[in-house]
């Protein structure tokens, strides 16, 4: 059986930032979030370059979702390098990216930075990506707990980004099931809303629009110091070919 995504994206500036450097894509095969960095307008430029580079993958004939994602991100990374070479004012700009591509039953996930990808399946909530951050490295070494990392003053210090230099996206592959719910989000959500609360919303709001708005609401209730961008996507069986109507 083949599957498609029913997806919806929401991007909110939050309550503190004067501009929004996040960009999202919500398609029937591809979902992605890029969180720009480097200050306005450079961060916005970098995130737009990456999402624009990923968008054609939605209709790609490539059967390997991971290969398609990595190629698109690598190409966008080179484009960012070209832009910064042409305009010194954009030097240092970059972006995170987390993208998921569905091909048949195969879901590929490609990731750089601290935007996150999650899977909610049969009541179980799983983080599919690992943050490329200073505090995550401390957690991995046993120096911080996950909850301490959430409150750490350097929690947003990213150790890898798509900014024109050498970068290899981390990848994950899995087989989807009907009823799976996927979430891709910027750290404007995951830094201020804990996993239990996110999982509760994914479980409690079947309607994607209501689900997305509730997640943004929780981020606002927590102060929303950063842009909040997310894509909620449900895995559903692909519609079969339309059968001809019998004559007579």
């Amino acid at each position: 059986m083949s599957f498609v995504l029913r997806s919806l994206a929401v991007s909110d500036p939050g309550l503190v930032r004067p501009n929004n450097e996040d960009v999202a894509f919500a398609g029937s095969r591809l979902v992605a979030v890029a969180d720009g960095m480097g200050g306005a307008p450079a961060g916005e430029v970098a995130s737009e370059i990456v999402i624009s580079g990923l968008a054609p993958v939605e209709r790609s004939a490539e059967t390997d979702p991971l290969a398609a994602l990595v190629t698109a991100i690598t190409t966008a990374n080179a484009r960012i390098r070209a832009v910064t070479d042409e305009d010194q004012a954009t030097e240092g700009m970059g972006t995170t990216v987390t993208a998921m591509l569905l091909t048949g039953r195969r879901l590929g996930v490609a990731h750089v930075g601290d935007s996150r990808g999650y899977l909610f399946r049969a009541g179980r909530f799983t983080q599919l990506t690992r943050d490329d951050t200073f505090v995550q490295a401390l957690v991995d070494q046993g120096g911080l707990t996950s909850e301490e990392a959430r409150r750490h003053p350097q929690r947003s210090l990213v150790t890898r980004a798509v900014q024109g230099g050498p970068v290899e996206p981390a990848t994950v592959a899995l087989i989807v099931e009907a009823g799976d719910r996927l979430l891709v989000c910027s750290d404007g959500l995951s830094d201020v809303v804990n996993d239990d609360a996110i999982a509760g919303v994914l479980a409690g709001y079947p309607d994607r629009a209501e689900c997305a708005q509730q997640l943004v609401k929780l981020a606002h209730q927590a102060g929303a110091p950063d842009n909040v961008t997310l894509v909620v996507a449900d895995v559903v069986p692909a519609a079969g070919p339309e059968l001809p109507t019998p004559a007579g």
Side-chain angles (χ1 to χ4, degrees), residues 35-62:
D35 179 355
M37 60 190 72
E44 298 169 15
V45 173
S47 56
E48 181 62 44
I49 287 172
V50 168
I51 295 299
S52 295
L54 281 165
V57 174
E58 166 82 8
R59 294 179 175 82
S60 170
E62 170 64 66

Side-chain angles (χ1 to χ4, degrees), residues 13-75:
L15 302 177
V16 176
R17 297 289 180 89
N19 62 311
N20 190 343
E21 296 184 325
D22 294 355
V23 182
F25 185 94
S28 60
R29 294 182 58 221
L30 173 72
V31 292
V33 166
D35 179 355
M37 60 190 72
E44 298 169 15
V45 173
S47 56
E48 181 62 44
I49 287 172
V50 168
I51 295 299
S52 295
L54 281 165
V57 174
E58 166 82 8
R59 294 179 175 82
S60 170
E62 170 64 66
T63 58
D64 182 345
L66 290 179
L69 290 174
V70 170
T71 297
I73 292 171
T74 301
T75 301

Side-chain angles (χ1 to χ4, degrees), residues 11-178:
S11 190
D12 185 276
L15 302 177
V16 176
R17 297 289 180 89
N19 62 311
N20 190 343
E21 296 184 325
D22 294 355
V23 182
F25 185 94
S28 60
R29 294 182 58 221
L30 173 72
V31 292
V33 166
D35 179 355
M37 60 190 72
E44 298 169 15
V45 173
S47 56
E48 181 62 44
I49 287 172
V50 168
I51 295 299
S52 295
L54 281 165
V57 174
E58 166 82 8
R59 294 179 175 82
S60 170
E62 170 64 66
T63 58
D64 182 345
L66 290 179
L69 290 174
V70 170
T71 297
I73 292 171
T74 301
T75 301
N77 187 52
R79 175 59 182 156
I80 288 173
R81 180 73 271 164
V83 170
T84 57
D85 286 345
E86 293 168 4
D87 182 359
Q88 292 302 306
T90 62
E91 182 64 38
M93 76 173 181
T95 183
T96 71
V97 62
T98 298
M100 300 181 179
L101 179 64
L102 181 61
T103 301
R105 295 192 61 185
R106 301 167 62 200
L107 183 75
V109 183
H111 166 78
V112 182
D114 63 349
S115 296
R116 290 185 179 180
Y118 295 99
L119 167 67
F120 187 78
R121 172 182 289 173
R124 183 176 180 182
F125 185 62
T126 304
Q127 183 176 331
L128 299 175
T129 56
R130 175 193 174 279
D131 294 348
D132 294 316
T133 59
F134 171 71
V135 295
Q136 182 60 53
L138 294 180
V139 171
D140 293 345
Q141 296 163 10
L144 287 178
T145 66
S146 296
E147 193 54 40
E148 287 170 340
R150 187 181 299 279
R151 301 189 300 269
H152 197 282
Q154 292 180 297
R155 63 184 179 275
S156 296
L157 181 57
V158 175
T159 55
R160 295 199 319 141
V162 183
Q163 54 187 157
V167 66
E168 181 70 27
T171 58
V172 178
L174 63 148
I175 302 299
V176 298
E177 298 178 3

